[in-house]
Amino acid sequence: MSDVVIALNKATKRFVGMKQNAVSEVTLDIDGGSFVTILGTSGSGKTTLLKLVNRIHELTAGEILFNGQNIHELKVEEYRKKIGYVIQQIGLFPHMTVAENIAVVPESLKWNKNTIEERVDYLLELVHLNPAYYRNRYPAQLSGGQQQRVGLARAMAAEPGIMLMDEPFGAIDSITRKILQDELLAIHKKLGKTILFVTHDIHEALKLGGKVIVMDDGKVQQYDTPYNILFRPANAFVSRLVAAENTLEKLQVLRVGAVASPARHSDNPNIPRVNEAETLSNVLAKFMETGAPYLGVTDDSGRVNGEVSWDALRSVASLRNEGMEYYV
Amino acid sequence: MEFVTFFLKQHNRMFALLGQHMAIVALSLSIAACIALPLGYFLSRTRWISVAVIGAFSTIYAIPSIALLVLLVPVTGLGMRTAVVVISIYAQFILLRNVVISFQTVDPAVLEASRGMGLSALEILLRIELPLTAPSLISGFRVATLSSISVATIAATINSGGIGILMLEGVRNLHMVKLVWGILLASALSLTANQLLTRAETRFSDRARGLDRRKQKNVSQEIYDASL
């Protein structure tokens, strides 16, 4: 699972007539099964970087490898069918029903009809839309959040190796956005699909990404875990970017794994437990509810594989942003 | 009474002229559409050239039809051929501009999504662009049809045949009944064409906007209403 799916090697893009590179010599690897967010302001090159991957934009220099193959040697339409693509404006086909929208790529790949039908129902259930209810409805009959669920299902239709998502929840109200974020995390956990997700929302980037690419000025400023982005910013830019996040916001995006230590009290059956994927804000709540000095950390099968202490949690709040020196 | 006896005596010739009229219009429109559809599709990709080409055609369109007909007589001679050429040119302008604009108004997000999911240009054209532009294309085709029917009437002056002949003869011989029958036939043809194409336009428009309910047999009416 941890094989490199996408490898960028000095990937560079300069648009015709521009004096500056939109994306400048970006070199990085995306591991299979990882959820990587690309964070940056408008004009940072984050969307261009994403669109270089599915060749909506073509490279000016450098190369991009997909499972070791140079993407420019692949037939562009066949290559794109292996990549799910979700955009902010959704772009559902208004003249097709929900089921027809989802079936477009499988049909183009000449899948058999029954397989497509089953796939459509499976995907609708995956994105929490009741197939019996929604199959035959048209995009105009759906809310924005429902439309993006269909957009997500459509992008996953032909079992792509990787999903590219360009600010998919950017135009959706904040309540629905939070729900969709949580569901996307659950889907990622369930299917282990590689996701490359562009956002300008730092909270969203840190919450969703197992790793975060911080972009500015066409260059990668830092490519690291949310924990390291928050507490070990690589430079002044990243430091400024994360400075606005207060303790509670940090707890909302960091997960138990960031502060857990090996289990020493696992023999004690009475200790309260939290799942390793919980956010630290939920851990804080658990501490407050139970008054326990430490919590057992469990994996999905319920097995205890570590623990988190009150002191470890507090250390996050008191951790100094090591980048603060840049402000002097 | 005179109207009826005229019809009873002359109906064979009247229908022949009507048929001729329809043939001229159909032939001209087919030629115009065969050029305008592919040309317009390609022009819609490049705003630059499309503006220039449409500009050129609009200059031709500004020439009164009777002048253009007379102008072409030395080239293509009297008769149906000249009529077809002139009507094709007029219809060309209406159709071309309409095709270009139709393709340019397809939602860019829809096009980006279809490109991003790996559909080929042909698949995008057939499965996405044509169904979405159909109502607008039909609307342009309707305007071109009505214009063609009327220019075809005028083309009778260069002996092209068609319903215009009835009117011309009616005016020349002060034969009021003949003139009125000519007007009636031409109007009936226009109104029928307009009616049929308007209906097609509505139907394709419903489909393009996702309001076609035939695929929604198992979506109950309440769900449908609640969603509006």
Side-chain angles (χ1 to χ4, degrees):
Chain A
M1 283 304 278
S2 63
D3 293 342
V4 173
V5 173
I6 295 283
L8 288 85
N9 188 8
K10 294 196 172 173
T12 301
K13 174 68 184 179
R14 181 180 296 197
F15 289 104
V16 179
M18 301 298 281
K19 289 205 174 70
Q20 275 192 318
N21 289 336
V23 168
S24 204
E25 302 207 337
V26 170
T27 299
L28 55 83
D29 291 344
I30 307 291
D31 291 335
S34 62
F35 194 144
V36 176
T37 51
I38 306 177
L39 173 65
T41 53
S42 38
S44 64
K46 60 184 190 300
T47 295
T48 308
L49 185 70
L50 190 82
K51 290 181 179 181
L52 285 173
V53 174
N54 68 350
R55 294 182 59 185
I56 293 280
H57 297 322
E58 297 284 9
L59 285 168
T60 312
E63 59 176 11
I64 297 177
L65 305 179
F66 175 67
N67 290 326
Q69 277 181 296
N70 189 328
I71 60 171
H72 287 263
E73 286 160 12
L74 301 169
K75 201 161 169 279
V76 66
E77 278 110 21
E78 281 171 27
Y79 169 59
R80 284 185 185 147
K81 281 181 187 131
K82 295 175 188 159
I83 297 177
Y85 189 44
V86 184
I87 55 177
Q88 183 179 343
Q89 307 89 324
I90 309 172
L92 291 183
F93 307 132
H95 59 301
M96 296 185 188
T97 62
V98 166
E100 287 167 340
N101 263 281
I102 298 173
V104 167
V105 176
E107 271 173 14
S108 171
L109 290 168
K110 309 261 186 300
W111 283 20
N112 125 350
K113 210 165 171 245
N114 290 332
T115 318
I116 296 178
E117 300 254 307
E118 282 167 22
R119 183 79 186 148
V120 167
D121 286 350
Y122 167 79
L123 288 166
L124 282 175
E125 268 163 27
L126 189 70
V127 298
H128 294 121
L129 294 174
N130 180 353
Y133 230 71
Y134 289 99
R135 269 187 143 267
N136 298 319
R137 302 179 87 182
Y138 284 96
Q141 299 168 310
L142 306 178
S143 71
Q146 289 169 337
Q147 285 187 25
Q148 194 56 293
R149 285 165 193 269
V150 177
L152 187 60
R154 183 176 67 172
M156 291 192 291
E159 312 211 26
I162 175 168
M163 301 277 290
L164 304 182
M165 310 184 76
D166 187 7
E167 305 212 27
F169 309 143
I172 287 164
D173 69 88
S174 58
I175 298 168
T176 312
R177 188 188 313 146
K178 192 186 169 303
I179 296 169
L180 286 174
Q181 286 169 348
D182 292 337
E183 287 179 11
L184 184 61
L185 276 173
I187 289 171
H188 175 253
K189 198 169 174 185
K190 187 171 171 189
L191 303 180
K193 229 170 245 319
T194 314
I195 298 177
L196 208 49
F197 185 109
V198 164
T199 178
H200 63 260
D201 177 348
I202 178 170
H203 197 76
E204 187 171 64
L206 295 169
K207 174 182 172 184
L208 295 179
K211 279 176 106 179
V212 181
I213 298 171
V214 180
M215 292 277 295
D216 188 49
D217 207 18
K219 298 186 192 78
V220 173
Q221 304 296 322
Q222 189 167 0
Y223 177 27
D224 218 328
T225 60
Y227 186 88
N228 284 345
I229 297 276
L230 278 173
F231 299 117
R232 290 177 197 127
N235 57 30
F237 177 81
V238 180
S239 171
R240 259 199 313 279
L241 193 70
V242 298
E245 293 277 287
N246 64 33
T247 301
L248 208 52
E249 283 166 339
K250 287 172 186 169
L251 293 180
Q252 279 165 5
V253 297
L254 292 173
R255 293 176 193 282
V256 175
V259 295
S261 52
R264 275 172 296 161
H265 306 82
S266 56
D267 49 326
N268 185 343
N270 295 324
I271 58 168
R273 288 170 186 188
V274 288
N275 185 286
E276 59 191 354
E278 286 290 348
T279 59
L280 291 185
S281 57
N282 286 345
V283 173
L284 176 65
K286 199 83 161 194
F287 273 123
M288 293 173 79
E289 287 159 11
T290 62
Y294 55 87
L295 307 174
V297 178
T298 61
D299 58 19
D300 281 339
S301 63
R303 211 168 47 86
V304 176
N305 62 7
E307 63 181 40
V308 53
S309 65
W310 170 245
D311 287 340
L313 184 67
R314 264 209 67 206
S315 72
V316 170
S318 58
L319 245 183
R320 284 194 59 82
N321 180 327
E322 288 166 23
M324 292 305 272
E325 61 200 71
Y326 292 108
Y327 285 105
V328 186
Chain B
M1 209 51 222
E2 233 182 303
F3 279 95
V4 183
T5 46
F6 179 84
F7 178 78
L8 290 175
K9 263 196 270 172
Q10 298 273 333
H11 67 272
N12 278 336
R13 181 164 181 250
M14 284 162 67
F15 284 133
L17 288 172
L18 181 65
Q20 224 171 24
H21 202 101
M22 283 160 68
I24 294 172
V25 170
L27 186 59
S28 312
L29 283 174
S30 312
I31 295 171
C34 281
I35 301 170
L37 275 171
L39 186 62
Y41 173 73
F42 286 111
L43 289 179
S44 68
R45 312 280 131 149
T46 46
R47 219 160 270 264
W48 257 97
I49 311 172
S50 69
V51 170
V53 173
I54 289 172
F57 270 103
S58 72
T59 313
I60 300 174
Y61 193 66
I63 305 171
S65 55
I66 187 106
L68 198 57
L69 283 166
V70 173
L71 211 65
L72 276 172
V73 167
V75 187
T76 45
L78 285 171
M80 204 191 231
R81 191 143 55 123
T82 307
V84 170
V85 171
V86 170
I87 297 169
S88 300
I89 294 174
Y90 274 91
Q92 184 61 231
F93 166 72
I94 300 172
L95 288 180
L96 190 68
R97 193 179 59 167
N98 173 261
V99 171
V100 170
I101 292 171
S102 299
F103 279 108
Q104 280 174 349
T105 47
V106 176
D107 182 358
V110 165
L111 290 181
E112 190 183 337
S114 42
R115 234 153 59 85
M117 66 175 69
L119 298 185
S120 66
L122 184 67
E123 281 178 307
I124 296 175
L125 175 66
L126 296 179
R127 300 201 58 187
I128 314 294
E129 288 176 303
L130 278 180
L132 290 180
T133 51
S136 157
L137 291 177
I138 294 171
S139 167
F141 189 75
R142 184 175 58 85
V143 176
T145 305
L146 298 184
S147 143
S148 300
I149 291 173
S150 99
V151 177
T153 316
I154 295 166
T157 49
I158 57 153
N159 201 24
S160 67
I163 304 166
I165 299 286
L166 280 183
M167 298 188 207
L168 275 185
E169 287 176 5
V171 171
R172 279 191 197 134
N173 310 330
L174 292 176
H175 193 320
M176 189 56 92
V177 174
K178 206 177 210 177
L179 176 62
V180 171
W181 265 114
I183 294 169
L184 278 178
L185 282 182
S187 311
L189 185 59
S190 282
L191 288 173
T192 312
N194 188 40
Q195 193 55 237
L196 288 176
L197 288 168
T198 304
R199 242 185 249 177
E201 193 182 322
T202 313
R203 218 177 106 190
F204 277 94
S205 167
D206 284 352
R207 272 197 211 175
R209 287 183 299 157
L211 298 173
D212 185 6
R213 297 191 190 190
R214 279 169 307 164
K215 286 182 197 153
Q216 301 196 307
K217 279 176 206 134
N218 42 1
V219 174
S220 82
Q221 193 60 40
E222 304 98 82
I223 299 173
Y224 185 85
D225 290 340
S227 70
L228 289 180

